[in-house]
Amino acid sequence: MVMACRVVNKRRHMGLQQLSSFAETGRTFLGPLKSSKFIIDEECHESVLISSTVRLLESLDLTSAVGQLLNEAVQAQNNTYRTGTSTLLFLVGAWSSAVEECLHLGVPISIIVSVMSEGLNFCSEEVVCLQVPVHNIFDCMDSTKTFSQLETFSVSLCPFLQVPSDTDLIEEERGLKDVASQTLTISNLSGRPLKASELFKPQTKVEADKNTSRTLKNSLLADTCCRQSILIHSRHFNRTDNTEGVSKPDGFQEHVTATLKTYRCNDLVELAVGLSHGDHSSMKLVEAAVQLQYQNACVQQGNCTKPFMFDISRIFTCCLPGLPETSSCVCPGYITVVSVSNIPVIKELQNQPVRIVLIEGDLTENYRHLGFNKSANIKTVLDSMELQEDSSEELWANHVLQVLIQFKVNLVLVQGNVSERLTEKCINSKRLVIGSVNGSVMQAFAEAAGAVQVAYITQVNGDCVGNGVYVTFWRSSPLDVVDRNNRIAILLKTEGINLVTAVLTNPVTAQMQTKEDRFWTCAYRLYYALKEEKVFLGGGAVEFLCLSCLQVLAEQSLKKENHACSGWLHNTSSWLASSLAIYRPTVLKFLANGWQKYLSTLLYNTANYSSEFEASTYIQHHLQNATDSGSPSSYILNEYSKLNSRIFNSDISNKLEQIPRVYDVVTPKIEAWRRALDLVLLALQTDSEIITGHGHTQINSQELTGFLFL
């Protein structure tokens, strides 16, 4: 499928132009209201509906060097965090365009790399003030609550920049209560005390809040803000070691004090709703899975006094296309699909405990573990090779069956592939064999059933066999849930097993992959929020603060060029220092434009603005207000704290308890920024090695223009 067509100037930085073109294809994925795309396979003419950057890049031709680098960056973000890929892709495009503009104005490459890297580090420091501590989430949780019926929620957008109607609002189960009109001291850019209303309830232990704030801020600065650029291979990038020490300009002091950390989130429902970003159905499944894990932990401990940690490695999904979405649920245990030919076996085994064997590798006749050395100088001679192979597999399958009969094993879980011949024999003898089982599932059954995993069936003995596993149909009428491949869903359980399966259903097969992706996105958001014990105020607040601070920084650099030079770089050549003073405001401005484009596109995608220009004008209006206030961070917090904000929350009801708080995960978001900038600067320096000497030549644009098809 042709995704985009863009004119590419071959004498300019083609890598940056290609990155911009690739990023353009994913603009509609930004924000809570994603516009999906149909991807059609030209060979088999099958289609799938996607709404994520990862699935988009899987469908594009990324054979170029830049395309492969982009795919690697997105895959690295997705494999680690499962969120932030749309932000990464968009910022890659926005900052590629920003770098191109800098080059067009003659800014040296070394200065672009230096100033952009330090500008992003500065943003990472400033947004620490928008972190919300997440503590004691499970202290008030009811360990006996069940989730047999999932509550439904309407889609809710970000409250910071959204302009919703009253019908779009949802009521949180635990809304914001009457907020006391408290004040907190904030030092603005010039050091003058300001007062702002609190959004969340103030805590009684102010000193504890101060310590929490310092710890969180120091942790983020140590983990993310002091990273050095890895882009050191180019001859255009020769920063000295002294550039590591960067001091903030005079105007940017520690403008948000520790007392700001009176913001807290200590309720799972509130946290889940805030991290759902409009996808409440998926997040409710995740919330239910966490509740089941918590219940199981309390049962195993006999009480709930020990700290509980959400273990995402023990959460699994089972996708059943063709069923109505109301059938989606979470269940304790392991739910998987098997062939309908196993129905008689399951009917025979259900309602009774069975013995289980766990096989780590493949359960086939010719499987050998890694490192196995086949015996040499052995030759078998038969008249028919086909007879040899059939006889060999038949003898092996009979031997495996005898082992299972000997130890009274009726259930075999295999991490790899299973011999079809063996499967048939097991079905005939009323034994169930399931292949391609996840390693975490194997480990969970080993722990709960007392089984020991083995590599070969010949290693099975009485000590390796587990007990007390129950096999049953997921539904009482198994034929009601047969999929297109003639498979049915079954449930495997044993007492105390730490496994939870989310059953995802959808009547439209093409939407199944999207539904599963969204579930995992919500699961990992909640996982990292609980793991890090902190979240950002969401809804565009963090990006807006970055935009505000960079613009103020650029304006100050213009007014105090000489002072900024001496304060930001030491022991450098006079040429580099003077060039930095001249070009630094320009680079910061274009870096900030990336955030401006991000917020404008985010607003435009909510369908509340007729154009991105209108959305950009709206952002610019508040940007000016934030600058005039003297402290962008306090301006943002003031807007959050208003009961009836007609600025960031136009047309929102007067009832504060109806406004859901929106949160963002901390590390995944910042890492998405850094990966985006690292990729752009890598493409910049790689291109510069190739086209040096041609950038300032007068050329005929018609002769040097080509087309890039995606």
Side-chain angles (χ1 to χ4, degrees), residues 562-578:
N562 295 332
H563 178 72
C565 256
S566 59
W568 277 67
L569 284 178
H570 306 283
N571 299 329
T572 57
S573 65
S574 58
W575 173 85
L576 181 59
S578 60

Side-chain angles (χ1 to χ4, degrees), residues 86-257:
S86 296
T87 295
L88 191 158
L89 181 65
F90 185 91
L91 290 178
V92 163
W95 286 336
S96 293
S97 300
V99 170
E100 284 193 89
E101 292 294 334
C102 291
L103 292 173
H104 182 69
L105 296 177
V107 182
I109 290 176
S110 59
I111 292 181
I112 295 176
V113 173
S114 177
V115 176
M116 281 196 163
S117 298
E118 303 304 345
L120 186 59
N121 283 341
F122 178 74
C123 289
S124 300
E125 292 184 26
E126 292 303 309
V127 297
V128 174
C129 67
L130 297 184
Q131 287 181 12
V132 177
V134 177
H135 295 311
N136 306 321
I137 288 293
F138 301 100
D139 286 359
C140 300
M141 180 179 290
D142 182 5
S143 62
T144 63
K145 182 179 178 180
T146 60
F147 286 82
S148 56
Q149 293 183 348
L150 294 178
E151 304 172 41
T152 59
F153 286 79
S154 59
V155 174
S156 175
L157 306 182
C158 304
F160 183 69
L161 294 171
Q162 176 200 3
V163 190
S165 62
D166 289 342
T167 58
D168 291 329
L169 297 173
I170 66 169
E171 267 194 52
E172 296 181 24
E173 294 184 20
R174 302 186 182 207
L176 296 173
K177 304 303 180 183
D178 296 333
V179 179
S181 179
Q182 303 290 336
T183 61
L184 52 125
T185 303
I186 302 176
S187 300
N188 68 355
L189 301 179
S190 60
R192 177 174 54 87
L194 295 176
K195 290 187 177 181
S197 300
E198 289 184 310
L199 174 60
F200 304 99
K201 280 189 175 182
Q203 304 296 309
T204 56
K205 298 181 180 180
V206 178
E207 291 300 325
D209 291 335
K210 292 182 178 180
N211 295 332
T212 301
S213 174
R214 295 191 187 101
T215 301
L216 290 174
K217 184 163 186 176
N218 293 337
S219 174
L220 182 68
L221 293 179
D223 293 342
T224 60
C225 294
C226 299
R227 277 182 49 184
Q228 298 181 16
S229 176
I230 60 174
L231 309 173
I232 58 175
H233 67 279
S234 174
R235 65 174 179 267
H236 298 281
F237 185 56
N238 295 316
R239 289 193 297 169
T240 62
D241 293 338
N242 290 333
T243 59
E244 296 177 18
V246 178
S247 60
K248 296 182 183 180
D250 292 340
F252 277 90
Q253 301 170 355
E254 297 296 331
H255 57 271
V256 179
T257 62

Side-chain angles (χ1 to χ4, degrees), residues 285 429 551:
L285 291 172
S429 63
Q551 289 212 348

